[in-house]
Each structure stands twice: as structure tokens, then as C-alpha cells.
Amino acid sequence: MKVGVHFNFQNYLDWDRFLSKAPGPPKVTDQQIYDEEIALAELVEPLGFDSYWAIDHHFTPYVMTGGALQHLTFMAGRTSSIDFGTMIVVLPWYDPIVVADQISALDNLLQGRQLTLGMGRGAAVREFDAFRVPMAEARSRFNETLDILRKAMSQEWFSHEGEHFTIPETTIRPSYRNPQRLMDRMRIAWTSPETLPIAANAGLGMLMTNQKSWDDYSSDVAAFNSIRAGNGLKPTQPTVVVRMTCAETEEEAWQAMKVHSLEAGESSRRHYQFDDPERFRNTKGYEQYAKLSNAITDQETLAEKSARPQAWGTPDQVFEKLKEIQRKTSADEFVLNVRFGAMPSEQAERSMRLFAKEVLPRLHELEAPLAAEMRGAVDGAGHVAFGNAEEPTRLGL
């Protein structure tokens, strides 16, 4: 199976100063974070990984890529053979023509290398406010932008008249090098249950960004493929994001995974403002996020929930954990998060190198089957199985 890598470009130690708006400089500068993570990113290709992925966040210490497509465009010139992916491009934030144009340029710069377009609708009010986009419009903007992207990739000349965007007849240049492959490799990440049937009915693939348990994702794959089956589409397998720490001893790996997973969780809480559940309840399309605001505060319980299920340990243990995650999710591709929280870059590099030497060759030889129970089934009434319940949405709507 294929194995990719992504980095967070996160300045975790600057959160207190950022939230208090205290004068700088940060304890660790953003520039140091960039230099360290670019150095790690430049190891991905020579160490034998298959792909490099970029996250799309702005304006806080949480993730400082400044945009997934811009970041990957830079990395296209620093690499020659690996594939790329976005995890994710938050479509509601941007003018769809700009996104279509940037994707085309990157597709051409890759000169035949594969680009997987992971997409989503975002959930951080700080980012929506700064981009001056109403968060309540996220779902409709996502759907309309996806429609425009598909027009741009399937027609040389196209126009659009919709709820949010009016586009006169235009074309994208350079033309897409691999338009059909781009459309075939579109993936969506979701947290809300409402998004899953929308994505499956749209013919998209699955990008699982480590927001649920592996067992929950197993049910999602079955539901997703049931919808695809009802629409006459073949079953698909997800790309799955996993935190990974590989070390010489189990204890060393666990301490790193535990400490830095807790830091990563705290950074996420601050970025998304999960301590403000009313804001989610009062924002159309985000009501279910209020449940995430009832956060567990006990550190040991948090560690068990967020760190224990990830891939950590000695090389043999990491390999076995990833095999188990593949079995539960039917992943055909992993994207490993190897530096998170305030993990020192030196520790992340040691983990990457040990993994590449001892685990990666075995994963490349590993078959990644789609479990029979996740292939999808449709009943005679045209409903799809949603885990242990029935989703009453008719297929094709």
C-alpha cells in the first residue's frame, strides 16, 4: 500500500501570547518552525515515501501553511517523483476561479505526478471571519464551488450562474494536464453525519482525517459504499490520516505520542474554539459540532482516547498497528502525521528515518483489501445502511 506524510507547520508554544495579543516575539519564531518543517518535508522523497500532503489553515498558530495549494506549488519545485495531496482545500473560503486556476498550474508543474484533491468546508470561525465569508453559508458554497471546479475540468469554455457566484464564459489556462484523473481523485473529509451522503452521492472519495474512532470510520466506509452502489458506482477505499511515532523502545514512543497528542488536541480546541458550544449550535450546518465542545478534561482519559489508537512503538509495533487500522478502515493509503504539538524536529526526524528503514518497505509490500462488509449494499427500497441504523435519504437526491 501507499504511504504519504504531512506536517502541521504549527507554533504550539505561541498560543498563550497569541490569544492575549501580547507583544512579540514568540518563544519560537514562525520562521524557525518553517525552516524545521521544510527540512523535514525535503526528507519525504529521499526516504522513499510515496506522497506529500499539505493542510489548508490560516491566521493562528494552529497550522501556518498559508494555503495547501500554494504550499504544494512550492514543494513541486523541491521534488521530482512523489505524488501530492491536499488535506484539505477549504472550498468555501475562496473564489472558485482562483482555486481552479491554482489547481491547473500545480497539475502542470507536477508533470504527470498524481495530485489528490482532498476538500472540505472548514469549521473555524476565525478563518471564516478573516476571509469575510459567513460560516452559515459553508455548505452551499462548498457545493457550488465543487460544481464550478468540475465544469472547469471537464469543459474548455464554461460559465456559471448560481447562488453565490456568477462567472461569465471563461477558460482556465494552462489547460489541465490530467483533468479526468483530478476528478477521479477528489476526496472529501467530514465530521458531520450529514456530509457523508452528500459526498457519496456526488461521486467523491473518502479522506479520513483522524477525527473519529477507527470503528466509527469502518461504519462510514460501509455507508459510503452503499450509496455509491445505489448510484451504480464501484466501491472505493479511503485515504486515512494517522499520527505516527516510531522509536527504539515502546516507552520512548508512547511518551512522545502521549505528550504531543495532548498538545495537538489543545491546539485544535483553541483554534476551533470548542469552548464556545453556543456558537456552533447557532450556526447553520454546524450544530453537531457543539457536542465536541463537551471536551474531556482528564489528561489520562484524553491520552487514552486520542493517543492510544494511533501508530506508535517500535518498528514492529508500528507495523502491526497500521495493519490493524487498515483492517478496520479498509484504507488503501496512509498519510502519516509525524510531527505534532510541540514535538522537537529532531525527534520527528529520528522517527521518520527509523520508520522509513524498518517499516515502510513492509507496508509497500502489504496488500490493502477492501473488507467485504464495507463494499456497500442497497435494500429493495433504495435506502442505504448507515452503521447500525438506516439513513432515510433516497439515493441520487
Side-chain angles (χ1 to χ4, degrees), residues 20-187:
S20 67
K21 299 182 181 179
K27 294 178 183 178
V28 177
T29 67
D30 294 349
Q31 290 69 43
Q32 179 178 334
I33 297 295
Y34 253 70
D35 291 346
E36 291 172 350
E37 302 246 330
I38 289 172
L40 290 172
E42 291 185 333
L43 294 175
V44 172
E45 184 169 274
L47 287 179
F49 292 93
D50 301 289
S51 58
Y52 178 79
W53 296 65
I55 307 177
D56 193 22
H57 279 298
H58 306 261
F59 312 130
T60 81
Y62 177 59
V63 173
M64 306 181 298
T65 60
L69 292 170
Q70 180 180 11
H71 184 74
L72 290 181
T73 301
F74 168 79
M75 289 303 299
R78 311 283 281 202
T79 56
S80 60
S81 61
I82 55 174
D83 295 328
F84 281 0
T86 63
M87 53 174 294
I88 55 178
V89 177
V90 182
L91 295 185
W93 294 340
Y94 307 116
D95 183 317
I97 287 294
V98 173
V99 177
D101 196 53
Q102 290 179 341
I103 291 171
S104 175
L106 177 56
D107 182 40
N108 278 280
L109 288 169
L110 290 176
Q111 296 182 299
R113 288 186 274 164
Q114 182 172 276
L115 173 61
T116 300
L117 294 171
M119 301 172 293
R121 63 187 179 107
V125 68
R126 286 190 179 97
E127 291 169 300
F128 277 93
D129 286 352
F131 279 118
R132 302 171 306 285
V133 173
M135 196 163 160
E137 297 178 1
R139 181 163 284 151
S140 59
R141 284 177 176 267
F142 176 92
N143 292 338
E144 191 169 342
T145 299
L146 177 61
D147 184 34
I148 293 167
L149 290 179
R150 283 176 157 164
K151 286 182 179 180
M153 292 176 188
S154 60
Q155 306 170 31
E156 181 175 3
W157 290 92
F158 66 96
S159 60
H160 180 83
E161 183 73 39
E163 178 183 356
H164 301 289
F165 306 105
T166 298
I167 301 170
E169 188 177 42
T170 189
T171 187
I172 300 296
R173 301 296 291 270
S175 58
Y176 294 93
R177 185 182 292 264
N178 295 301
Q180 188 58 55
R181 187 164 69 160
L182 285 172
M183 288 189 283
D184 290 343
R185 290 290 296 180
M186 286 181 174
R187 302 282 185 266

Side-chain angles (χ1 to χ4, degrees), residues 363-374:
L363 284 173
H364 280 157
E365 294 177 356
L366 184 70
E367 292 187 7
L370 173 61
E373 64 270 22
M374 299 183 201

Side-chain angles (χ1 to χ4, degrees), residues 271-285:
H271 178 76
Y272 289 104
Q273 298 173 266
F274 286 134
D275 53 355
D276 184 11
E278 288 305 311
R279 177 177 58 81
F280 288 110
R281 288 193 188 98
N282 296 327
T283 303
K284 181 182 177 182

Side-chain angles (χ1 to χ4, degrees), residues 256-368:
M257 179 61 70
K258 176 181 176 181
V259 170
H260 301 305
S261 286
L262 289 173
E263 293 169 345
E266 175 65 7
S267 189
S268 178
R269 183 189 68 80
R270 290 177 163 188
H271 178 76
Y272 289 104
Q273 298 173 266
F274 286 134
D275 53 355
D276 184 11
E278 288 305 311
R279 177 177 58 81
F280 288 110
R281 288 193 188 98
N282 296 327
T283 303
K284 181 182 177 182
Y286 289 89
E287 297 84 356
Q288 77 285 348
Y289 280 80
K291 299 176 184 177
L292 302 177
S293 299
N294 299 320
I296 301 168
T297 57
D298 177 69
Q299 295 296 289
E300 289 302 318
T301 304
L302 274 173
E304 288 298 313
K305 184 178 178 62
S306 65
R308 185 72 65 181
Q310 305 303 312
W312 54 272
T314 65
D316 286 344
Q317 289 174 319
V318 169
F319 179 64
E320 291 302 321
K321 287 175 184 288
L322 288 172
K323 281 174 57 180
E324 177 66 8
I325 294 170
Q326 195 288 322
R327 186 188 67 79
K328 288 189 173 184
T329 64
S330 284
D332 65 357
E333 180 177 29
F334 286 130
V335 179
L336 304 180
N337 181 0
V338 298
R339 190 189 187 195
F340 38 94
M343 180 184 288
S345 61
E346 298 83 2
Q347 187 174 34
E349 181 174 344
R350 289 196 302 272
S351 175
M352 278 183 70
R353 289 186 180 278
L354 183 59
F355 179 93
K357 179 181 178 181
E358 302 289 342
V359 184
L360 187 58
R362 286 188 277 177
L363 284 173
H364 280 157
E365 294 177 356
L366 184 70
E367 292 187 7

